Amino acid sequence: MDNKSFNRRDFLLKLGKASALLTIPPLLKSCTNSLYGEYFVSTELCTGCEDCLPVCYYNAISIDTPTNYSIDSDECIECKLCSNACSENAINVEPIIYTINSDNCNECNMCTSICTHNATLVAVKTYSIEDDNCTDCGNCVNVCDQNAISLNTSNVTYTVNSKCIGCGDCIEKCESEGNAITYSVANYSVSTSRCHGCTQHCSSACSSGAISKVDGKASIDTSKCTKCGKCLDKCGHNAITNAEVTISQSSCIQCGDCYSVCSNSAITKSGETSSSVSSIDTSKCNSCGNCFPVCNDDAIVVTQASSPSTPSIDQDECVSCGDCYSVCTFDAVEKSSSSSSPEIDSSLCTNCGDCYTACNDDAILREIGVASIDQSNCSKCGKCEDTCPQGAIQTN
């Protein structure tokens, strides 16, 4: 009986001591058998904002040097994203003012498409193809990034016949299309074996003064000869050989320009043109206007909306992000920068890192003092992990 009473008192005494130990927080920090892994700070994510310091009861977290933020004015585009993100109003940025130069603007609507704030006001243009003028050269198809243009297909073939005098008009015309026509015989020449020396006939027909008599025979100065062909008919002895051209069928795009420009009917057209019509799919077209300047046949027709009459930027809606300036290929979007440089007021800055995260142009510089955790003091309570806005504190 006495032993039982003693054992019961001993048990109660030990239980009381254990309960007392559990109620004293400082003793827990020496616990080495924690149910949780060690906490650590990610140096890549930590911004040195110090939010974790006040929540750590055991002073297990330290930062050697607080983070200092500054703005690189060479990189800053003054979009004000960092200023808007700063809840302490520590950042002073005078925004860039963007405007549209209507003289340069071709109203392609690229700026309108990229502006998420509906700040650009540009009339919408609709592009279409006048099939009667279109030669199906394919220039517009090559520059259309939206695959909005379809041309009719044909099996027409163009060849050079014996009427060719080698004037080169078709070569010049084809240079802006498929560049498929070249000289097979580059210059006019005189056959001395057939020439009778009657140069008064051929030379009188030559308005450029390219034909003269040398050693009793006609001679052609190729530097003066315009390849007009007038001398050919004047020579009764067929002593003058004209220049000749040839068409590369692999390079020919069947545009028909050579056929139209030839005044001597020296281009033969064979085959049939498809009955399909060349067109622009308005559901795909973004009105960029790239097709319009490359069409040499005036086949691209532009229909413009009536309003707004002048392209402009709504300054109340514009956030000075600069997207419209970057996308405009016609130098129509102009910017006027403030004379003052963007700066951060260190007396107001709390080193939260929100501006650093918000800046898309790497213009915010930071001299970072990364937080570290003293594992001997850490109780693994998790409060620092919960309070870190950057998710920089993790457990392994």
Side-chain angles (χ1 to χ4, degrees):
M1 189 71 177
D2 292 338
N3 289 335
K4 290 182 178 180
S5 298
F6 175 78
N7 290 338
R8 186 164 43 250
R9 286 194 303 272
D10 187 47
F11 171 77
L12 293 175
L13 180 60
K14 289 181 177 180
L15 179 62
K17 291 181 178 179
S19 300
L21 288 172
L22 291 174
T23 60
I24 304 175
L27 294 180
L28 290 179
K29 65 181 179 181
S30 62
C31 177
T32 59
N33 297 319
S34 173
L35 297 177
Y36 307 99
E38 291 184 348
Y39 282 92
F40 68 95
V41 179
S42 169
T43 57
E44 295 179 355
L45 298 176
C46 179
T47 63
C49 66
E50 303 185 17
D51 285 351
C52 56
L53 297 185
V55 300
C56 184
Y57 177 83
Y58 300 99
N59 296 322
I61 305 175
S62 61
I63 299 180
D64 294 335
T65 303
T67 302
N68 293 321
Y69 290 91
S70 60
I71 298 177
D72 184 348
S73 58
D74 291 335
E75 297 292 336
C76 180
I77 64 170
E78 301 178 15
C79 65
K80 297 194 70 175
L81 288 178
C82 60
S83 178
N84 295 336
C86 183
S87 59
E88 305 298 327
N89 297 320
I91 303 178
N92 179 32
V93 178
E94 292 293 333
I96 290 177
I97 304 299
Y98 290 90
T99 55
I100 297 178
N101 184 335
S102 58
D103 292 335
N104 292 345
C105 179
N106 79 337
E107 300 178 358
C108 66
N109 281 279
M110 292 295 288
C111 59
T112 301
S113 301
I114 201 171
C115 181
T116 58
H117 301 277
N118 298 320
T120 55
L121 307 175
V122 180
V124 177
K125 284 184 176 180
T126 302
Y127 291 82
S128 59
I129 296 177
E130 182 64 45
D131 197 59
D132 292 339
N133 293 340
C134 180
T135 60
D136 301 314
C137 65
N139 285 346
C140 57
V141 175
N142 295 334
V143 299
C144 182
D145 296 330
Q146 307 300 318
N147 296 319
I149 303 177
S150 58
L151 302 179
N152 62 15
T153 55
S154 65
N155 59 354
V156 174
T157 301
Y158 295 92
T159 54
V160 180
N161 59 45
S162 60
K163 295 180 181 180
C164 178
I165 62 172
C167 66
D169 289 346
C170 58
I171 293 179
E172 183 178 351
K173 188 68 174 178
C174 190
E175 285 179 348
S176 60
E177 302 293 352
N179 204 24
I181 306 178
T182 56
Y183 277 109
S184 56
V185 178
N187 298 303
Y188 276 57
S189 61
V190 177
S191 171
T192 56
S193 62
R194 291 198 295 268
C195 179
H196 287 211
C198 51
T199 55
Q200 66 272 18
H201 298 295
C202 56
S203 62
S204 62
C206 182
S207 58
S208 62
I211 301 177
S212 61
K213 194 171 185 176
V214 178
D215 296 331
K217 302 289 184 178
S219 176
I220 299 177
D221 184 347
T222 56
S223 64
K224 294 181 179 180
C225 178
T226 61
K227 303 173 186 177
C228 64
K230 294 178 182 180
C231 60
L232 296 174
D233 295 334
K234 294 297 181 178
C235 182
H237 306 286
N238 295 321
I240 301 178
T241 301
N242 57 273
E244 295 179 4
V245 302
T246 183
I247 300 177
S248 170
Q249 298 302 323
S250 61
S251 300
C252 179
I253 60 175
Q254 289 83 42
C255 67
D257 283 354
C258 59
Y259 183 79
S260 303
V261 77
C262 183
S263 58
N264 298 293
S265 301
I267 304 292
T268 301
K269 177 181 178 181
S270 58
E272 296 181 357
T273 303
S274 171
S275 59
S276 61
V277 178
S278 302
S279 61
I280 298 177
D281 187 343
T282 54
S283 65
K284 294 180 179 179
C285 178
N286 64 358
S287 301
C288 68
N290 289 337
C291 59
F292 187 76
V294 300
C295 181
N296 299 313
D297 305 295
D298 297 327
I300 304 291
V301 179
V302 184
T303 305
Q304 181 174 317
S306 58
S307 61
S309 58
T310 303
S312 61
I313 295 178
D314 186 345
Q315 299 302 326
D316 292 335
E317 299 295 334
C318 180
V319 296
S320 301
C321 66
D323 287 345
C324 59
Y325 181 81
S326 301
V327 78
C328 182
T329 58
F330 299 96
D331 295 328
V333 179
E334 300 175 342
K335 64 178 181 178
S336 55
S337 180
S338 170
S339 58
S340 59
S341 300
E343 58 182 18
I344 297 176
D345 188 341
S346 58
S347 66
L348 296 176
C349 179
T350 61
N351 301 321
C352 68
D354 287 346
C355 61
Y356 182 83
T357 304
C359 183
N360 297 322
D361 300 287
D362 297 326
I364 304 292
L365 306 177
R366 61 175 180 172
E367 298 176 2
I368 185 169
V370 179
S372 59
I373 298 177
D374 183 351
Q375 299 299 332
S376 63
N377 287 338
C378 179
S379 69
K380 321 302 191 290
C381 67
K383 290 182 179 179
C384 59
E385 181 181 20
D386 295 337
T387 196
C388 181
Q390 307 297 330
I393 300 180
Q394 304 160 17
T395 183
N396 56 14

